[in-house]
Amino acid sequence: MARLPIVLYPDPALLRPTVPVEQIDDSLRRLVEDMIETMYAAPGIGLAANQVGRSERVCVVDITAGQKEGQLHVFINPEILETEGSDVDEEGCLSFPGITIDVERPFRVRLRALDLDGTEFEFEADDLLGRCIQHECEHLEGKTFLRNLSGLKRSIVKRRIRKRIKDGDWVAAPAS
Ligand code: GNR
Ligand code: NI
């Protein structure tokens, strides 16, 4: 396993839709392992493949950040089928270090995905897990959580990021 460098906004990889996986082969299994290690090391509660510069439509999620067994989810080619309700909560993103944003999203999500054996499954989640899955699916579409902000809030956050970049203060958490 290896820790992969996480790309920061506005890296073009974050703004490009990912491509559905056609074959679950060693290269994909290696990517998923490395993404899990990278997510836990950050630490984060989710990671999308384009955050490590890859184009596969794959994400990993563990809202305990590895603190509890059996909470890790791997979603290959996830597709959201249905959402329900609405909720506002604070989100962070490993590609936006030090930035937190209040994001309104559906409270519950139902999705379909493949597991590492290539078996299709449906999954339903709400609250933080549902939020994190939606955050990752948004990454996989080449979007970021800035999308969910109104124009004014978005330009304020973008200005803060531009200043941080100019000050040399826009760096990923060290892979210690
Ligand atoms: O670590 C993360 N925390 C988080 C908090 C609230 C909602 C979503 C997230 S995902 C984020 C990791 C990340 O950037 N995933 O893409
Ligand atoms: Ni993110």
Side-chain angles (χ1 to χ4, degrees):
M1 297 228 285
R3 284 174 204 179
L4 307 172
I6 294 174
V7 302
L8 302 187
Y9 179 88
D11 191 292
L14 294 175
L15 308 174
R16 229 176 351 241
T18 54
V19 179
V21 170
E22 290 192 4
Q23 245 199 140
I24 298 171
D25 54 13
D26 284 349
S27 155
L28 186 83
R29 282 185 282 269
R30 166 91 53 95
L31 171 64
V32 169
E33 278 191 11
D34 291 348
M35 284 174 60
I36 294 167
E37 182 175 341
T38 303
M39 170 177 71
Y40 286 154
I45 63 170
L47 190 69
N50 47 338
Q51 289 185 278
V52 292
R54 295 278 294 251
S55 59
E56 291 93 334
R57 187 175 179 89
V58 178
C59 63
V60 296
V61 172
D62 179 348
I63 59 165
T64 79
Q67 296 306 296
K68 270 194 202 160
E69 297 266 299
Q71 301 298 307
L72 172 66
H73 303 280
V74 176
F75 299 111
I76 301 169
N77 298 347
E79 294 290 346
I80 291 177
L81 301 173
E82 196 178 14
T83 60
E84 192 189 303
S86 170
D87 189 35
V88 180
D89 211 342
E90 205 169 68
E91 296 192 9
C93 182
L94 294 170
S95 297
F96 293 77
I99 304 250
T100 55
I101 296 178
D102 280 333
V103 182
E104 180 178 359
R105 296 192 189 273
F107 180 70
R108 183 188 307 274
V109 61
R110 199 162 60 82
L111 66 151
R112 179 167 47 222
L114 302 179
D115 66 19
L116 278 167
D117 298 320
T119 306
E120 193 173 278
F121 65 100
E122 283 190 18
F123 192 77
E124 203 175 301
D126 61 18
D127 212 348
L128 180 60
L129 181 55
R131 173 173 295 279
C132 187
I133 289 171
Q134 294 177 72
H135 176 115
E136 302 318 329
C137 287
E138 190 169 78
H139 275 304
L140 295 175
E141 298 295 338
K143 299 172 185 171
T144 74
F145 65 176
L146 293 186
R147 277 261 177 170
N148 301 284
L149 294 176
S150 71
L152 178 61
K153 285 187 183 165
R154 196 185 312 140
S155 32
I156 291 169
V157 172
K158 282 187 172 176
R159 172 140 24 97
R160 276 178 58 200
I161 294 171
R162 275 200 302 273
K163 179 166 191 311
R164 295 255 314 267
I165 292 173
K166 185 165 139 288
D167 293 348
D169 184 27
W170 191 243
V171 288
S176 51

